[in-house]
Amino acid sequence: MEPMRRTVLGILAAFFLLAVTACSITTEDPGYVAPPPLPALEQLEQAALADPAPFAAGDDILSFVTEDRSIVCSLTSAKGEHIKLPYEQNNFSDSANTKLATVPVAHCELARYPKPAAADVKDDCAGTGLGYLGGTALLTPESATYGGCRSGVTQMEAAYGPEGNKAGPITQLPALPEGQNLERNGLRCSAYNGGVACGNVSAGVGFFVARDRYELISKASEPASIAPSEAPKTP
């Protein structure tokens, strides 16, 4: 019996050794520093493209909200200043606008947002100089802008702003997972780094928007404008 007992003990010891060596223990490195997020245009160029089918929101429109429901965006079309959006009233289809060229655009609205920097105010609002508000961003194939002339709140503010009712068409839109891209007609949008980046990678133009900051990117090399971080504004 003694040799058999030694054999059994040897087998058990071998199994124990195998179990111990197969286990790995990971410990947190206190000196590890996560790499910074990619610049917006690099994110748009490198991130994986999502299947556009779940984000189809009407005739040739892709729409999504961020997972935290702070931003809504659409890859859509515009005729002049008229943008085709499934959740905002617009005059895109009016017969008077048929003579205007149709161009691809990306348009975003924020529930909370920073004030536009003085250099980024691009309209005198019918000569009044009043009513140029933040909370929206627009990308065309050649340029990116932040803010615009309006009164009242956007549909995104109405749904998810400080006094939002959590109702309406925006609440039915799918969320784009963090880090994924959507593309339509050469323009891309990606949810990342706490906000959304949209850009025309080949032209080197785009924007990044988040509740506390925004950035306009031109082909130059450095961002055309980076708004200082400050308390979010609403009308």
Side-chain angles (χ1 to χ4, degrees):
M1 294 295 292
E2 186 65 26
M4 182 177 291
R5 186 189 312 176
R6 289 178 180 174
T7 302
V8 171
L9 291 175
I11 293 173
L12 291 175
F15 274 118
F16 178 76
L17 180 61
L18 180 62
V20 169
T21 56
C23 294
S24 61
I25 300 174
T26 58
T27 58
E28 184 176 344
D29 181 0
Y32 174 76
V33 177
L38 290 172
L41 290 181
E42 289 185 30
Q43 166 71 16
L44 292 169
E45 185 174 19
Q46 297 182 24
L49 286 174
D51 179 6
F55 302 95
D59 184 20
D60 203 21
I61 303 175
L62 301 179
S63 296
F64 66 90
V65 294
T66 52
E67 291 180 311
D68 64 358
R69 302 301 192 273
S70 65
I71 306 172
V72 63
C73 297
S74 287
L75 288 158
T76 181
S77 300
K79 292 180 179 179
E81 62 182 14
H82 307 290
I83 304 170
K84 187 178 184 180
L85 296 171
Y87 39 81
E88 292 271 8
Q89 290 187 349
N90 59 82
N91 297 320
F92 179 86
S93 299
D94 285 5
S95 58
N97 297 324
T98 56
K99 62 183 179 181
L100 299 174
T102 301
V103 299
V105 298
H107 180 271
C108 293
E109 296 180 4
L110 294 88
R112 296 172 181 263
Y113 49 85
K115 181 180 178 180
D120 297 327
V121 176
K122 303 300 183 183
D123 196 316
D124 65 4
C125 301
T128 66
L130 301 172
Y132 195 96
L133 304 175
T136 62
L138 178 67
L139 171 73
T140 72
E142 294 84 25
S143 65
T145 56
Y146 177 75
C149 295
R150 61 180 171 85
S151 61
V153 299
T154 64
Q155 287 298 314
M156 187 60 184
E157 287 179 88
Y160 291 111
E163 299 179 5
N165 55 22
K166 307 297 188 295
I170 289 179
T171 63
Q172 306 303 312
L173 296 177
L176 182 65
E178 181 80 4
Q180 289 195 5
N181 274 352
L182 283 175
E183 182 177 43
R184 175 188 175 273
N185 289 348
L187 305 183
R188 289 187 174 191
C189 287
S190 181
Y192 94 114
N193 195 23
V196 171
C198 294
N200 179 352
V201 175
S202 62
V205 296
F207 65 73
F208 173 81
V209 289
R211 62 174 293 163
D212 60 349
R213 65 197 188 281
Y214 75 89
E215 176 183 340
L216 298 179
I217 305 156
S218 68
K219 196 172 183 177
S221 58
E222 296 299 323
S225 175
I226 299 179
S229 179
E230 58 180 72
K233 305 293 184 181
T234 55

